[in-house]
């Protein structure tokens, strides 16, 4: 039986990160809302309670009954999770004198405590909380402190309960993964047998059982998730998988041609549909971002369905849905910022069953599975690309000429990012390697990767409603600016603008202005998310 760790979600942005760290320890885990613990699942070997935007004493704070778990399974509370267990067992939690945020060091920790096995003195941890545990419940003991936080970590004497007020899941907690390993492997007894190879093997078998001799349809986007999904299904059922790849006319330069070529090389049975005329004529004159997204979503379903209907013996629809798309996260604000569009609403008369083989995987795991399946590296490391494509990167209405300008500028930016190599070490190198980028570490502890691989996502935005004056040769120009955007992120929930080298920016700006007709100015977007989103529309 596949062992699993359950992570209970109390609404913190870092909960998914805890999940990813545990998967990196080759251990399967599930993130569930705080009140949905699967009491009848015998495969659970341990429980983690995550952070929360609330204070434990807040009347609206999320409360959970742990009585059926306590004593039976090891529990680790992180931040709110630690404060919650302490507070609800007679301890005291109060607002910290000053908000404890940022790097701190464990000035002492209990030697010999299994949670701190192989820890080095003064280990750096990351704190992020407005409250602090000022008194522990009777019979519980402090097992680590920092200069300002006495109860940085605790343990219950009578039960397998631990709590840490810092965040072991974030990179700045240098031995955070070691702490999670100590909990998951030593305390909970994980066999660490969750790997890309074991995933491929069991998933191929499960897919064969699920779809039998039926035919399956899959919508390909050119992105890593749907591509890996297709290759996995192809391995399981071969030609009984039919893929549909729709060109809505707003893909990157030559993307339709190149991606079709890649898919054919991978042996996939793909139908390419050029529907650019339909999309572009339906979008003509439309400027409002949400309106644009809705038209593209609607047209996409129409085009996809028309193709799907032709495959009349299909019984299943496969989708490259991944775990972060499904996690029933506690959306505290409940507000929709952008309506992300993906395939949905298939013809009812087809009555297709849903097949989602990647639904348990995080993005970096999808990439590892892609490598395991022997897919080309450029498909695997491809940056995320939004369903509506360049439509949300052309501000204002869309024309073929504007798409052409943006494609040309974007092509220069992306190719330059791939060509420019950087040497990284320390924390920066760790981040890139943890994201699954293949690179060898030199004896000096350095890795060489391209700028493209160092960042999460890059894009070019055409400020089509703006024109400015320039000069080229002896001629006055009056053309559009483009904005370049490159961000670092782990999950696109939050993102920082990437600090690209000045010599790189100078060359890209020069190349774009000299080579792309219609552009005479290049800007760089230095906004973080939040408050700005990654895409401009
Ligand atoms: P934002 O702009 O909301 O984007 O910060 C977060 C991530 O989602 C991608 N994105 C989309 N992906 N359909 C998609 O499949 C969409 O409609 C869509 N809109 C944005 C975006 O590129 C970024 O990676």
């Amino acid at each position: 039986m596949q062992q699993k760790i359950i992570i209970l979600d109390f609404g913190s942005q870092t909960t998914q990160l805890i999940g990813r760290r545990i998967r990196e320890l080759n251990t399967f885990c599930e993130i569930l809302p705080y009140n949905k613990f699967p009491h009848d699942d015998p495969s659970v070997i341990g429980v983690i309670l995550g952070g929360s935007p609330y204070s434990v004493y807040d009347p609206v704070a999320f409360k959970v009954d742990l009585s059926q778990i306590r004593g039976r399974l090891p529990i680790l509370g992180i931040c709110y999770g630690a404060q919650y267990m302490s507070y609800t067992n007679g301890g005291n939690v109060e607002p910290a004198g000053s908000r404890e945020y940022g790097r701190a060091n464990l000035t002492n920790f209990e030697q010999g405590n299994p949670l701190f096995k192989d820890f080095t003195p003064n280990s750096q941890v990351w704190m992020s909380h407005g409250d602090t545990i000022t008194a522990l419940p009777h019979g519980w003991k402090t097992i680590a402190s920092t200069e300002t936080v006495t109860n940085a970590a605790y343990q219950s004497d009578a039960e397998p309960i631990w709590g840490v007020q810092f965040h072991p899941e974030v990179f700045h907690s240098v031995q955070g993964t070691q702490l999670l390993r100590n909990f998951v492997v030593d305390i909970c007894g994980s066999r660490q047998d969750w790997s890309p190879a074991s995933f491929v093997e069991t998933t191929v078998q499960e897919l064969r059982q699920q779809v039998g001799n039926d035919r399956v349809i899959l919508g390909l986007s050119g992105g890593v998730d749907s591509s890996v999904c297709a290759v996995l299904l192809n391995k399981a059922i071969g030609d009984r998988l039919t893929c549909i790849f729709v060109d809505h006319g707003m893909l990157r330069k030559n993307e339709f041609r190149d991606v079709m070529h890649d898919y054919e090389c991978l042996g996939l049975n793909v139908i390419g549909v050029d529907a650019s005329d339909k999309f572009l004529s339906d979008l003509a004159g439309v400027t409002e971002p949400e309106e644009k997204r809705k038209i593209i979503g609607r047209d996409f379903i129409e085009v996809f369905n028309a193709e799907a209907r032709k495959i009349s013996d299909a019984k299943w629809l496969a989708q490259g849905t991944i775990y972060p798309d499904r996690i029933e996260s506690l959306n505290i604000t409940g507000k929709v910022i952008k309506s992300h569009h993906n395939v949905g609403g298939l013809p009812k008369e087809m009555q297709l069953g849903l097949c989602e083989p990647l639904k348990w995987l995080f993005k970096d795991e999808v990439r590892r599975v892609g490598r395991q399946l022997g897919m080309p590296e450029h498909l695997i490391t491809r940056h995320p690309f939004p369903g509506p494509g360049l439509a949300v990167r052309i501000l204002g209405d869309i024309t073929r000429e504007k798409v052409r300008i943006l494609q040309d500028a974007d092509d220069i930016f992306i190719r330059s990012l791939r060509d420019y190599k950087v040497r990284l070490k320390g924390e920066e190198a760790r981040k890139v390697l943890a994201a699954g980028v293949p690179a060898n570490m030199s004896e000096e502890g350095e890795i060489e990767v391209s700028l493209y691989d160092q960042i999460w996502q890059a894009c070019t935005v055409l400020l089509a409603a703006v024109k400015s004056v320039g000069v080229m040769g002896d001629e006055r120009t009056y053309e559009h600016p483009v904005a370049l955007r490159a961000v670092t992120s782990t999950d696109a929930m939050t993102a920082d603008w990437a600090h690209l080298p000045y010599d790189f920016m100078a060359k890209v700006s020069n190349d774009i202005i000299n080579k792309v007709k219609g552009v005479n100015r290049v800007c760089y977007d230095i906004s973080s998310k939040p408050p700005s989103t990654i895409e401009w529309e």
Side-chain angles (χ1 to χ4, degrees), residues 469-532:
V469 174
V471 55
M472 219 167 183
D474 292 332
E475 297 289 318
R476 172 189 191 268
T477 59
Y478 187 51
E479 293 172 332
H480 301 296
V482 291
L484 308 181
R485 181 136 174 80
V487 294
T488 55
S489 176
T490 48
D491 53 10
M493 298 283 286
T494 61
D496 275 335
W497 60 276
H499 294 222
L500 299 179
Y502 278 178
D503 61 332
F504 169 83
M505 299 225 257
K507 180 162 184 321
V508 172
S509 159
N510 229 16
D511 281 354
I512 291 177
I513 293 170
N514 285 333
K515 294 180 189 158
V516 183
K517 198 166 162 296
V519 175
N520 67 348
R521 202 172 285 274
V522 173
C523 313
Y524 187 58
D525 182 347
I526 53 167
S527 338
S528 295
K529 176 183 178 175
S532 306

Side-chain angles (χ1 to χ4, degrees), residues 188-253:
C188 300
S190 164
R191 289 189 299 263
Q192 297 190 281
D193 51 10
W194 169 259
S195 69
S198 72
F199 173 82
V200 170
E201 196 184 317
T202 49
T203 309
V204 163
Q205 278 170 18
E206 282 167 11
L207 284 170
R208 286 183 184 144
Q209 273 176 8
Q210 184 185 6
V211 305
N213 289 323
D214 297 342
R215 178 164 291 284
V216 181
I217 311 177
L218 175 116
L220 282 172
S221 68
V224 59
D225 304 341
S226 63
S227 305
V228 171
C229 183
V231 176
L232 199 54
L233 267 154
N234 182 250
K235 191 174 164 72
I237 62 164
D239 260 6
R240 277 181 290 115
L241 170 71
T242 306
C243 305
I244 300 171
F245 181 27
V246 177
D247 181 359
H248 53 30
M250 291 154 296
L251 296 173
R252 288 190 150 132
K253 187 170 180 174

Side-chain angles (χ1 to χ4, degrees), residues 293 338-342 384 386-388 456-457 492 529 533-535:
R293 281 176 171 271
K338 286 178 195 177
S339 56
H340 284 202
H341 116 86
N342 283 316
W456 165 265
Q457 186 176 353
K529 176 183 178 175
T533 52
I534 297 175
E535 306 293 345

Side-chain angles (χ1 to χ4, degrees), residues 22-23 34 38 58 64 71 79-80 97 155 185 189 195 234 315 328 381 384 393 406 415 425 429 438 441 463 532:
I22 293 188
R23 297 285 185 89
Y34 66 99
D58 201 320
V64 57
C79 197
Y80 176 93
Q155 184 184 2
V185 180
S195 69
N234 182 250
K315 294 275 183 295
E328 211 182 313
T381 53
R393 298 177 181 171
L406 182 53
R415 271 193 292 117
K425 58 181 178 185
M441 192 165 276
L463 310 187
S532 306

